[in-house]
Amino acid sequence: MTGPSDRLLDCVLDLLVAEGYEGISIRRVATAAGVSIGAVQHHFATKDALLTAAMDRVSQQFQQRLERRIAPGAGPAEWLRAVADELVSTGEERRPASVIWLVRMARAAVHEPTAEVHRREWQQVEDLLAQLVAAARPDLAEQSVRDEATVLLALLDGLAGAAAVEPGRVPPERAEALVARHLDALLDPVRPPA
């Protein structure tokens, strides 16, 4: 069962995906949801609160998808592949996550409070990737693990953005294949690249 804030957040997500950050307002969310402006402000006082709530929702959905797809007892390589697949966010059902991530990144470039949240959360993601790389590749030195996590996150960010904005140049299948090839090389360094 969904509550009023969930229904409002669905409208926020739809508006962000359709029109970006500049296309949303408390008034537009209220109109889309068929409620008063006061009802929206009760849950989301500002436009930035709308974006924060949207990113929180996308993060929760990310966690739920990971929990559903990772089998108990899965090893670090399987976890790394699943996390990478979720972060590249290809496919129509995950397109909203990519679009909302791009909206937040654009907002972070010009709004320090958003940038602060983005830096903190993306550091957490990079730390997770580093933990998984370290577990899957115990032969790597600590700095090499950190470098691999940084490169992997940059690759995933770039491919997610390209697949969302330029699907003709980087269709989802190509993005997924590029991530798989990179992970194959990372996880099995003696195997020649494809």
Side-chain angles (χ1 to χ4, degrees):
M1 184 169 179
T2 61
S5 64
D6 291 321
R7 290 191 297 279
L8 291 173
L9 193 49
D10 288 341
C11 291
V12 170
L13 294 170
D14 291 345
L15 285 169
L16 280 169
V17 170
E19 301 181 32
Y21 184 75
E22 289 72 27
I24 66 165
S25 67
I26 301 288
R27 181 179 306 280
R28 295 208 57 215
V29 171
T31 299
V35 300
S36 70
I37 291 172
V40 175
Q41 289 177 316
H42 174 72
H43 298 283
F44 310 105
T46 66
K47 190 173 175 175
D48 283 320
L50 294 171
L51 179 59
T52 298
M55 283 306 302
D56 289 348
R57 169 73 70 88
V58 166
S59 294
Q60 289 169 354
Q61 291 169 342
F62 170 83
Q63 289 291 337
Q64 290 166 351
R65 283 192 307 269
L66 273 179
E67 289 169 8
R68 284 192 305 266
R69 73 183 288 177
I70 302 293
E78 291 87 1
W79 270 96
L80 186 59
R81 287 183 188 281
V83 169
D85 182 59
E86 289 298 330
L87 287 172
V88 82
S89 294
T90 60
E92 213 40 51
E93 74 283 355
R94 290 188 278 176
R95 179 172 161 61
S98 291
V99 171
I100 290 164
W101 165 79
L102 288 168
V103 167
R104 185 174 82 168
M105 184 169 269
R107 179 73 175 143
V110 297
H111 185 252
E112 182 53 33
T114 303
E116 184 179 322
V117 171
H118 179 78
R119 284 190 298 267
R120 182 179 62 247
E121 290 181 358
W122 247 228
Q123 185 62 60
Q124 291 170 348
V125 171
E126 186 175 307
D127 291 346
L128 170 62
L129 292 172
Q131 291 170 1
L132 294 171
V133 169
R137 289 285 312 276
D139 60 305
L140 291 178
E142 185 177 336
Q143 187 58 51
S144 294
V145 166
R146 182 57 61 185
D147 291 347
E148 290 294 346
T150 301
V151 168
L152 180 56
L153 184 55
L155 174 68
L156 296 168
D157 279 350
L159 288 173
V165 176
E166 308 170 80
R169 182 177 72 83
V170 183
E173 304 78 27
R174 182 173 182 216
E176 292 167 2
L178 291 170
V179 170
R181 186 171 80 190
H182 180 82
L183 290 175
D184 288 346
L186 174 61
L187 295 170
D188 188 5
V190 295
R191 186 164 87 182

